[in-house]
Amino acid sequence: MELKDVIKSPFSNYDLVVYFGCGLFVVPFVNRYVVEPLNLTWPTFKILGAVPFTAEVISALSLLMFVYIIGHILAYVSSQLIEKTIDRFLGKVSTAIIFLTIGRAGLRNGRVRKHIYHQFLKIREDRAIIASLFRGIFHAPALISYSVIGFLGIFGYYNSRLSIHTVAALARGISKLGIPRLRLSPNMPWFKPVEYYVINRVPEAVPRMYNYLVIGGLFRSLSAIFLFSMWLVLAHLACWWFTGVWRLEPLGGMTPGVAAIWEFVSLQLLFIFSLFSYIKFQRRYAEEAIFAFIFEPGSELTHKPRQPRVASV
């Protein structure tokens, strides 16, 4: 056994980047929008009567653990309010890029709008009205941006490196997995079997997939932070409107109304950037798994390509 195998960090990149990183990143936002305006104080981690050095070590370790736990909570909340919202209203990224790839070129925007409309119709079919309503309300501060994106057709997050022949090879590969009735269809959970096949059979692709997973998790948590911050800015703006007291620290001498608008717009842009980045890296994760599945040793990619027979969106 080599020394590098013995001295191995107990934390993965995901722990360091997503949990620790976002746990630390959220601190100044909480401080600005909650702690300082309400005259609160951060909790202290000190043991009375302990040796000074020991007390400092325990305090530092407790603080790191606190940040790590906050990062875990943020990751879970973002998975529920960001990831599941995207899956519900935009559809699984893996499925969306497949069934938009096999459509006619030049009609992407129309197909994306049709795909999103189809996802809205599925809410009632899946009896997910209450959960979808709750998640939709959470995204209310970003509705203006969503409307502009939908109107202008800014759907670049669906631009995929896959070709129609790649999709055909994927469909053939799925049919050979030996899973009864599993096929490439928008109404079937086809991606998970492909993903687990690659993880167990093509280990060379796993590090690349993991990198996309880490970066996607980072931007997912950042999206939640910026969206929560928008809600808090609106709350402070409403408080100022009704009480005349502006509790946030002034920005560059601006009046409360102008400062709130400037801050809200800035957070909106940061949120949209983070959300698009999250979707992009989700797409790349899916593409990496699909390419590894197709080019796995023994695959029959060289068969004559043909358009897959799949159900339309």
Side-chain angles (χ1 to χ4, degrees):
M1 181 181 295
E2 298 182 6
L3 183 60
K4 66 178 182 179
D5 296 323
V6 177
I7 308 175
K8 187 176 181 181
S9 172
F11 299 105
S12 66
N13 291 339
Y14 200 94
D15 289 292
L16 296 174
V17 174
V18 180
Y19 298 145
F20 272 120
C22 291
L24 284 172
F25 186 76
V26 77
V27 169
F29 289 88
V30 175
N31 193 62
R32 173 166 178 77
Y33 298 118
V34 179
V35 175
E36 290 184 352
L38 300 180
N39 295 320
L40 302 176
T41 57
W42 287 97
T44 57
F45 305 94
K46 293 184 178 180
I47 300 178
L48 297 178
V51 178
F53 175 76
T54 304
E56 291 298 325
V57 171
I58 293 175
S59 177
L61 292 176
S62 300
L63 179 61
L64 289 176
M65 185 56 65
F66 175 75
V67 168
Y68 184 67
I69 293 173
I70 292 297
H72 266 280
I73 295 173
L74 183 61
Y76 174 76
V77 171
S78 65
S79 71
Q80 294 296 315
L81 298 179
I82 300 296
E83 181 177 350
K84 288 188 179 297
T85 302
I86 295 300
D87 291 345
R88 170 53 62 185
F89 293 102
L90 298 184
K92 292 285 186 181
V93 176
S94 55
T95 297
I97 60 175
I98 290 296
F99 296 98
L100 292 173
T101 296
I102 62 177
R104 293 176 58 188
L107 300 178
R108 184 198 66 180
N109 288 356
R111 289 178 59 80
V112 171
R113 293 189 182 101
K114 182 180 178 181
H115 172 72
I116 295 174
Y117 176 71
H118 176 74
Q119 288 299 125
F120 272 86
L121 293 182
K122 285 183 63 179
I123 292 176
R124 188 169 183 177
E125 295 177 16
D126 297 340
R127 298 181 180 180
I129 296 177
I130 295 178
S132 300
L133 183 62
F134 175 77
R135 293 187 174 107
I137 291 174
F138 177 69
H139 285 252
L143 288 181
I144 296 177
S145 294
Y146 292 162
S147 301
V148 172
I149 291 169
F151 177 76
L152 297 179
I154 306 174
F155 303 128
Y157 47 83
Y158 278 142
N159 287 342
S160 176
R161 298 174 292 174
L162 302 178
S163 68
I164 188 172
H165 303 307
T166 306
V167 177
L170 173 64
R172 292 196 302 271
I174 291 175
S175 66
K176 295 176 182 178
L177 287 177
I179 303 176
R181 300 183 180 180
L182 181 66
R183 59 191 178 90
L184 195 60
S185 168
N187 299 318
M188 282 193 174
W190 60 269
F191 181 71
K192 278 298 177 183
V194 170
E195 180 185 25
Y196 277 90
Y197 182 94
V198 170
I199 291 173
N200 287 282
R201 299 290 188 90
V202 195
E204 297 83 2
V206 174
R208 297 190 296 271
M209 294 168 59
Y210 183 71
N211 286 338
Y212 293 137
L213 184 68
V214 170
I215 302 174
L218 171 65
F219 281 111
R220 186 187 65 187
S221 292
L222 291 179
S223 299
I225 292 173
F226 295 134
L227 195 51
F228 272 119
S229 298
M230 282 192 281
W231 273 111
L232 292 173
V233 169
L234 293 176
H236 284 292
L237 186 61
C239 180
W240 172 72
W241 180 269
F242 288 108
T243 66
V245 178
W246 182 247
R247 296 182 179 275
L248 294 181
E249 184 178 347
L251 294 174
M254 289 184 279
T255 61
V258 175
I261 293 174
W262 185 90
E263 196 161 350
F264 183 83
V265 171
S266 300
L267 290 169
Q268 186 103 190
L269 294 175
L270 289 170
F271 167 72
I272 293 300
F273 170 78
S274 298
L275 186 68
F276 277 18
S277 298
Y278 163 68
I279 298 175
K280 180 183 74 173
F281 284 104
Q282 284 288 93
R283 188 199 73 220
R284 289 187 176 182
Y285 178 88
E287 289 173 341
E288 192 66 43
I290 291 169
F291 279 126
F293 178 73
I294 294 173
F295 289 101
E296 184 263 338
S299 65
E300 300 185 17
L301 183 63
T302 55
H303 282 189
K304 183 182 296 185
R306 62 180 183 277
Q307 184 169 341
R309 295 181 179 179
V310 295
S312 61
V313 178

